[in-house]
Amino acid sequence: MKAVSKEVKIALTAIIAIVLLYLLINFMKGVNVFKPANTYYVEFADIQGLAASSSVYANGYPVGIVHSIDYDYKDKNSVRVCIDLDEQMTMPVGTRAELQSSLMGGVTLHLLLGPNPAKCLERGATIKGDMQHGVLDEVGQLIPTVAAILPKVDSIMANLNSLTSDPALRTILLNFATTSQHLNTTSQQLEAMMGKDVPMMLTNLKQTSQNVEKLSAKLADVEVQPSIDEINTILKQAEASMAEVQAFSKNINKLSTDLNAKLNSRDNSIGLLLNDRELYDNLNRTTSELTTTTQCLTRAVQSGDSLLTDIKAHPKRYVHFSVFGKKDK
């Protein structure tokens, strides 16, 4: 057997090394060259930094990788992405692709499958792709609004600091704590009352209600109409009596008026007696003289009483009796 030359061995070794290097590079990229795949294309206006060998997801599950990315130099607004999917993975009609950016800065490609799995796209078909507006995009849109709110927030914080440093706030908080304590005490008292006094009150109220029902039943049995008739009769008698009293009062008023007229008139003895001035003066003089005479008689009587008293005390001064004749004093 003819020996293999040294140059052939070197060539074979180089070829084997190149094949192994190709396989190693694809393995590092996640490409299995021995596994058949379905190839599709996705057109994007902007791939947002999508790189080759990135995973392709469907419903959150990795179903393939990005094989290559080609920029269309003729159409400046188009980037063509070649994706290799698993052999069992097919894309229904209406499937589209979205790029999602993560918080760490990476970009992943997600397939949004069509509604009808019975109708699938052929291998090598091209679908449309778009960029999903994630949380970072929404945050970016909110930045102008946040920038406009920040001065107001600073003003609010300044006012809040001024409010918290105010001694009145501490007083209010202390008062609030005291009020809260009083409310706690009141709540405990109310709870105790609800547990003891209220049931007792309800029991008494129930008993009172029963008594009222019994009283109502008894009142229902009482014949009220005779009493009402009797009261009506009494009221009629009272009205008649009032009429008689009014007539009597009218008679009294008439009699008083007539008597007053007679007393003020001079055509009768009582009128002359009451309205004659000379008779009134004579009566006054007579009364004065009678008073004077009475005083004199009183003094005379008092003098007589004094004389009798002195006679009784010293009878010898006034009466002398002697058997043998009168003696000189």
Side-chain angles (χ1 to χ4, degrees):
M1 184 176 179
K2 188 178 179 179
V4 180
S5 64
K6 184 176 180 179
E7 290 77 5
V8 175
K9 292 181 180 179
I10 294 174
L12 292 174
T13 304
I15 293 172
I16 294 172
I18 291 172
V19 172
L20 292 176
L21 180 61
Y22 174 76
L23 294 175
L24 179 61
I25 292 173
N26 283 281
F27 178 77
M28 296 295 294
K29 290 181 179 181
V31 178
N32 187 357
V33 295
F34 301 105
K35 184 178 181 181
N38 297 327
T39 302
Y40 295 93
Y41 296 93
V42 184
E43 289 185 354
F44 290 98
D46 188 355
I47 61 173
Q48 297 289 330
L50 180 66
S53 302
S54 298
S55 298
V56 179
Y57 294 89
N59 297 330
Y61 182 79
V63 293
I65 62 171
V66 176
H67 184 271
S68 63
I69 300 174
D70 296 324
Y71 183 75
D72 190 354
Y73 291 95
K74 295 181 180 180
D75 186 2
K76 304 296 183 181
N77 295 323
S78 177
V79 179
R80 189 179 178 86
V81 178
C82 179
I83 59 174
D84 290 337
L85 303 180
D86 295 338
E87 185 179 8
Q88 294 82 9
M89 183 64 189
T90 58
M91 289 196 303
V93 176
T95 301
R96 59 189 182 88
E98 280 188 352
L99 295 178
Q100 294 184 3
S101 59
S102 63
L103 295 176
M104 302 301 294
V107 180
T108 57
L109 193 152
H110 290 261
L111 297 176
L112 303 178
L113 301 177
N116 188 4
K119 295 182 179 181
C120 298
L121 298 172
E122 296 180 356
R123 295 181 182 181
T126 302
I127 62 175
K128 293 293 182 180
D130 195 4
M131 183 67 190
Q132 183 187 33
H133 298 288
V135 177
L136 294 179
D137 295 332
E138 294 179 358
V139 171
Q141 295 176 359
L142 291 175
I143 288 177
T145 305
V146 174
I149 293 176
L150 284 178
K152 298 180 181 180
V153 174
D154 293 336
S155 177
I156 292 173
M157 292 301 297
N159 294 332
L160 185 60
N161 291 331
S162 176
L163 180 63
T164 54
S165 61
D166 192 354
L169 180 61
R170 183 176 299 175
T171 304
I172 292 173
L173 292 176
L174 292 175
N175 294 335
F176 182 75
T178 305
T179 304
S180 178
Q181 185 176 2
H182 292 165
L183 287 176
N184 188 18
T185 304
T186 304
S187 177
Q188 293 178 356
Q189 294 176 354
L190 182 61
E191 184 178 359
M193 184 179 68
M194 291 295 293
K196 181 179 179 181
D197 296 338
V198 172
M200 185 180 297
M201 292 173 60
L202 292 176
T203 303
N204 295 335
L205 184 61
K206 184 178 180 181
Q207 184 65 33
T208 304
S209 177
Q210 293 176 355
N211 294 334
V212 169
E213 289 180 357
K214 293 179 180 178
L215 179 60
S216 177
K218 292 180 179 179
L219 289 176
D221 296 336
V222 175
E223 295 182 359
V224 181
Q225 189 62 37
S227 301
I228 295 175
D229 296 338
E230 185 176 356
I231 292 173
N232 291 330
T233 303
I234 294 173
L235 290 176
K236 291 180 180 179
Q237 294 177 357
E239 291 177 356
S241 300
M242 287 296 296
E244 293 178 357
V245 169
Q246 290 177 356
F248 179 74
S249 176
K250 290 180 180 179
N251 294 331
I252 292 295
N253 290 332
K254 183 178 180 181
L255 180 61
S256 175
T257 302
D258 295 340
L259 181 61
N260 189 19
K262 292 292 184 181
L263 291 176
N264 292 326
S265 178
R266 293 188 177 186
D267 58 354
N268 55 77
S269 299
I270 297 176
L272 290 173
L273 181 63
L274 293 177
N275 296 294
D276 192 350
R277 182 68 183 179
E278 184 177 358
L279 178 61
Y280 175 76
D281 294 336
N282 292 332
L283 287 175
N284 283 336
R285 284 194 299 271
T286 303
T287 302
S288 299
E289 292 175 357
L290 182 60
T291 302
T292 302
T293 304
T294 303
Q295 291 176 354
C296 293
L297 289 175
T298 301
R299 284 195 296 269
V301 170
Q302 290 176 353
S303 298
D305 290 339
S306 299
L307 179 60
L308 291 175
T309 301
D310 187 61
I311 291 172
K312 290 179 180 180
H314 307 284
K316 293 182 179 181
R317 293 181 182 178
Y318 303 95
V319 179
H320 299 280
F321 295 94
S322 176
V323 178
F324 302 97
K326 183 178 180 182
K327 294 183 180 181
D328 295 331
K329 293 181 180 179

